[in-house]
Amino acid sequence: MKPNELKAELQRKNLNYQDAAKALGISVVAFQRKVNAITEFKSSEIGALRDLLELSPERVTEIFFN
């Protein structure tokens, strides 16, 4: 997980943590914990972020998988 890359994609779309958390159906605190690698993103959450941020499959791999 590359948190800075995810943050950059959120900024590119003019979205904040609240927007992303709402799209995932989780709290902002839960989203922060995932971004900070305290907990992991579920595959369904990665898919929702892919759609929200309009990420290519390559970009998803770059951000979420080392």
Side-chain angles (χ1 to χ4, degrees):
M1 168 69 195
K2 296 179 183 171
N4 290 335
E5 297 293 327
L6 180 56
K7 292 173 190 177
E9 292 295 341
L10 287 167
Q11 287 180 340
R12 185 177 62 81
K13 286 291 193 176
N14 295 315
L15 298 171
N16 58 34
Y17 279 18
Q18 186 174 7
D19 299 321
K22 184 176 179 181
L24 299 181
I26 61 175
S27 70
V28 173
V29 171
F31 185 75
Q32 289 171 329
R33 291 174 61 84
K34 290 174 185 287
V35 171
N36 293 319
I38 296 168
T39 59
E40 292 185 7
F41 282 99
K42 297 176 185 175
S43 60
S44 60
E45 294 168 338
I46 293 172
L49 286 171
R50 177 198 63 222
D51 295 344
L52 177 69
L53 300 172
E54 300 175 337
L55 300 174
S56 68
E58 295 82 12
R59 189 69 173 136
V60 170
T61 300
E62 188 178 288
I63 294 171
F64 294 101
F65 306 102
N66 294 331

